[in-house]
Amino acid sequence: FSSMAAALTAYVEQLRKGGVELVVCLDPAEGVSVGDLERKRHEMASRFEQRCDNISRMMLHLHNGEDLQDWDDKEVKVDWSMPPLGMAQAVATLQALGVRVIGCESEADAAVVAEMRNTPGAVGVLGKDSDFFVFPGARYVPHDCLTVEDGKVYGRVFTRASVAASLGISEERLPDLAALLGNDITTEAVQRLDVPGKLSIATFPTKTRGRRATPEAVAAFLQTLPVGTPLQDHPALAALGSEDAQSFAAALAASHAFYADAADGTDSAA
């Protein structure tokens, strides 16, 4: 915990020297609201399983329970896992540094975007969540695109318009893109029903998230849809059995509502 506090303090001070002040928005202490739990159950279970796997692998490494000679560097590396009370330590450190910390009643994504829009001089949202590419009005700075050199802060800022333009689709199609790629809400239905396959979108296998499509492949498909045509009205999806069609339509509607939350500064799940 001491090392965590020291590293977080150094990071905040580095940003401040470069003229950047953080505002931190937190998901609820309980994790999510009842509405969030229902619509994200599959994704939460997947994350929990992966976290357990990481911890198990780290314990095996610590106790020499695995022969690592046959593993390459990428396979040996596991993500750092937050220790018990780690978040409490992080919040205490941020508050001690005078960083503004906002507790959200429901999932923080929409609140983060609203806070960015309502804060004078805000540069953007700093995070590690591709949903911020899709939220209306968001200016997104991925952690991997932020550097501090010689007291100056450099970051690459993405906007909804720039992302849509780079993929050759309209901004209005970005929620459809996110849904077909499989976000926290739609992944279970997309994988179970093989939605990309039914739409003739090429996919590739992943280690932990089934078969996925690339943004470019999904964008190429969306370019073929007439303007104003809802994704769920595509003949291939309409041909699904009634129960499956309703399941995907419900996930798609919830996904669109999730991204719309930031547009009006509300949270439909709150």
Side-chain angles (χ1 to χ4, degrees):
F1 293 107
S2 177
S3 298
M4 278 181 58
L8 185 54
T9 298
Y11 183 68
V12 171
E13 290 178 345
Q14 276 188 320
L15 293 179
R16 281 177 169 167
K17 287 181 180 178
V20 175
E21 186 68 35
L22 292 176
V23 176
V24 178
C25 295
L26 300 176
D27 285 332
E30 296 81 4
V32 292
S33 71
V34 174
D36 290 329
L37 178 61
E38 289 302 320
R39 66 182 181 177
K40 298 181 63 174
R41 187 183 301 275
H42 178 269
E43 182 64 22
M44 291 172 63
S46 176
R47 292 179 183 178
F48 180 77
E49 182 179 354
Q50 187 172 3
R51 188 157 56 245
C52 290
D53 182 60
N54 281 346
I55 293 173
S56 297
R57 291 173 64 189
M58 284 189 284
M59 292 302 296
L60 286 171
H61 298 337
L62 289 171
H63 292 284
N64 297 319
E66 289 186 353
D67 182 0
L68 304 183
Q69 294 181 353
D70 296 330
W71 291 44
D72 63 33
D73 291 340
K74 291 183 179 179
E75 290 176 318
V76 172
K77 182 179 179 181
V78 293
D79 291 336
W80 178 80
S81 186
M82 178 77 77
L85 298 179
M87 183 57 70
Q89 173 64 67
V91 171
T93 300
L94 290 169
Q95 291 176 332
L97 293 169
V99 174
R100 184 183 173 203
V101 178
I102 301 172
C104 301
E105 294 183 2
S106 187
E107 191 176 18
D109 299 46
V112 169
V113 178
E115 185 66 27
M116 181 212 73
R117 293 204 313 254
N118 295 330
T119 301
V123 175
V125 175
L126 176 64
K128 192 177 181 181
D129 188 337
S130 57
D131 284 326
F132 290 115
F133 288 123
V134 182
F135 280 119
R139 297 185 298 277
Y140 176 43
V141 183
H143 272 298
D144 295 343
C145 296
L146 187 79
T147 59
V148 181
E149 298 178 6
D150 299 325
K152 295 182 179 180
V153 180
Y154 301 90
R156 185 176 181 185
V157 182
F158 292 86
T159 65
R160 178 180 167 109
S162 66
V163 171
S166 70
L167 293 169
I169 59 176
S170 68
E171 292 183 47
E172 291 70 26
R173 284 296 186 191
L174 283 177
D176 289 334
L177 178 99
L180 290 174
L181 288 174
N183 58 22
D184 291 353
I185 300 170
T186 64
T187 292
E188 188 277 334
V190 167
Q191 292 183 350
R192 176 171 54 83
L193 302 175
D194 186 24
V195 173
K198 289 180 171 58
L199 297 174
S200 299
I201 300 173
T203 58
F204 62 95
T206 66
K207 286 186 176 181
T208 60
R209 298 177 67 87
R211 296 193 66 85
R212 307 298 292 268
T214 65
E216 292 79 9
V218 175
F221 161 76
L222 292 174
Q223 290 169 8
T224 67
L225 295 183
V227 175
T229 301
L231 174 60
Q232 61 268 29
D233 289 348
H234 190 280
L237 299 181
L240 291 171
S242 59
E243 184 175 339
D244 288 340
Q246 291 175 4
S247 174
F248 179 69
L252 186 62
S255 177
H256 274 262
F258 172 65
Y259 295 117
D261 284 342
D264 57 17
T266 64
D267 188 339
S268 62

